[in-house]
Amino acid sequence: MTDQSAAHAAAVTDRERLARRAYGSERNLAARQSLYQWQTPRYDLPGIVAERLRGSRGRVVDVGCGNGKFVRRLRTERPDLTVLGLDIAPGIVAGVPGPVAVADAAALPLAGGSVDAALAMHMLYHVADIPQAVRELARVIADDGLVIASTNSDRDKSELDDLWQRAAGDVLGTKRGPARISLSARFSLEKAPAYLGQAFSRIETIELPGTITVHDPEPVIAHMASYRAWADQHDVPFQDTIDRARALLVGHLARHGSFHITCLGGVLVCRS
């Protein structure tokens, strides 16, 4: 691991940064989530989770529940389940209807075998000790329970990476600037099975490929700006780069009418 990648990993997992800046409210997460409304095909990720939980009974914990997207859906569609939301960021869970609690994924405040299913949706890359968090997920589920995790591929949204580097290069006066930070790189769709396989013998990977097509720059710019909590990790003036990316995108849309982003995320269903 290079010094730069080590610094990025430390920043992506820093609890204070996550709890107070990145997820102090739902604004940044909502900006990233909202970009997917322009994706085809559209995936109902909470619906996919609900379907996978159709055989579960009893208690479900959503670890790293964020703004409660999955908690709300399960409570609506599966009132027979007891759904508990956990997150390290007090600000973001403040708007999630209870029961919710502030907790660390590496030390879950739950007894062994006490839940029928656990969710870890787009969050394990924020945990400093991923193997320990995976062990905790395995510890708290019942013998016949399951864990559902999700993340993005290393190849996800490469067009946004290119746009950022072009904009950063223009700001710095070079051909291409430094890469933007990747949140999912530590626990990408390619790396996830190896981590999860340390605690689970059966892992089903469901890939969710798609293309986001926008005709307006603002959804893309809002997504890129949602990384402001890591502005110090980009080695380039953050707001200047955002402004330059907007100008480049406006020019692209004027010429081509649309901007396409190739997406690849996935869900991993794990059983012992």
Side-chain angles (χ1 to χ4, degrees), residues 196-208:
L196 295 167
Q198 295 175 24
F200 301 98
S201 60
R202 292 176 290 165
I203 302 169
E204 177 190 4
T205 300
I206 306 166
E207 293 192 352
L208 304 173

Side-chain angles (χ1 to χ4, degrees), residues 2 46 63 82 91 104 108 110 114 116 127 199 201 204 233 250-251 256:
T2 66
V63 181
T82 299
D104 187 341
L108 295 174
L110 300 168
S114 63
D116 296 277
V127 181
S201 60
E204 177 190 4
Q233 298 296 309
V250 167
H256 303 286

Side-chain angles (χ1 to χ4, degrees), residues 15 61-65 86-89 101-110 119-120 123-140:
R15 285 195 58 160
V61 61
D62 185 355
V63 181
C65 67
L86 301 178
D87 203 284
I88 64 165
V102 175
D104 187 341
L108 295 174
L110 300 168
L119 311 183
M123 54 73 59
L124 281 169
Y125 42 73
H126 283 314
V127 181
D129 189 341
I130 296 174
Q132 172 59 20
V134 170
R135 287 192 292 270
E136 279 292 273
L137 291 169
R139 178 184 68 81
V140 300

Side-chain angles (χ1 to χ4, degrees), residues 12 31 35 49 72 77 81 84 150 158 201 209 213-214 262 271:
V12 166
L35 187 60
V49 169
R72 288 186 175 89
E77 294 193 359
L81 296 175
L84 171 66
S150 65
S158 61
S201 60
T213 302
V214 297
T262 306
R271 299 180 186 273

Side-chain angles (χ1 to χ4, degrees), residues 168-222:
D170 288 351
V171 168
L172 296 175
T174 60
K175 186 175 181 181
R176 288 177 72 81
R180 69 182 189 132
I181 194 168
S182 170
L183 298 184
S184 57
R186 299 177 62 250
F187 185 81
S188 65
L189 199 58
E190 290 78 8
K191 298 181 179 74
Y195 279 116
L196 295 167
Q198 295 175 24
F200 301 98
S201 60
R202 292 176 290 165
I203 302 169
E204 177 190 4
T205 300
I206 306 166
E207 293 192 352
L208 304 173
T211 302
I212 292 171
T213 302
V214 297
H215 305 279
D216 182 289
E218 292 314 311
V220 172
I221 297 305

Side-chain angles (χ1 to χ4, degrees), residues 31-165:
R32 291 197 285 277
Q33 290 172 336
S34 67
L35 187 60
Y36 290 96
Q37 66 186 289
W38 287 278
Q39 177 176 300
T40 53
R42 290 285 296 275
Y43 296 106
D44 177 11
L45 197 52
I48 291 172
V49 169
E51 172 63 22
R52 291 289 164 165
L53 293 178
R54 66 185 182 276
S56 297
R57 300 289 184 271
R59 197 179 189 196
V60 175
V61 61
D62 185 355
V63 181
C65 67
N67 56 5
K69 181 178 180 180
F70 297 91
V71 168
R72 288 186 175 89
R73 181 68 169 271
L74 288 176
R75 287 177 181 163
T76 298
E77 294 193 359
R78 292 291 308 275
D80 58 306
L81 296 175
T82 299
V83 183
L84 171 66
L86 301 178
D87 203 284
I88 64 165
I92 204 168
V93 296
V96 180
V100 295
V102 175
D104 187 341
L108 295 174
L110 300 168
S114 63
V115 300
D116 296 277
L119 311 183
M121 309 301 290
H122 280 82
M123 54 73 59
L124 281 169
Y125 42 73
H126 283 314
V127 181
D129 189 341
I130 296 174
Q132 172 59 20
V134 170
R135 287 192 292 270
E136 279 292 273
L137 291 169
R139 178 184 68 81
V140 300
I141 63 167
D143 290 341
D144 58 347
L146 74 160
V147 167
I148 303 177
S150 65
T151 187
N152 291 325
S153 167
D154 289 326
R155 306 189 303 278
D156 181 64
K157 300 184 187 70
S158 61
E159 294 85 357
L160 290 191
D161 297 331
D162 180 68
L163 176 61
W164 176 269
Q165 288 189 277

Side-chain angles (χ1 to χ4, degrees), residues 244-255:
R244 181 55 185 158
R246 178 184 283 107
L248 289 171
L249 191 51
V250 167
H252 178 96
L253 292 172
R255 292 189 302 273

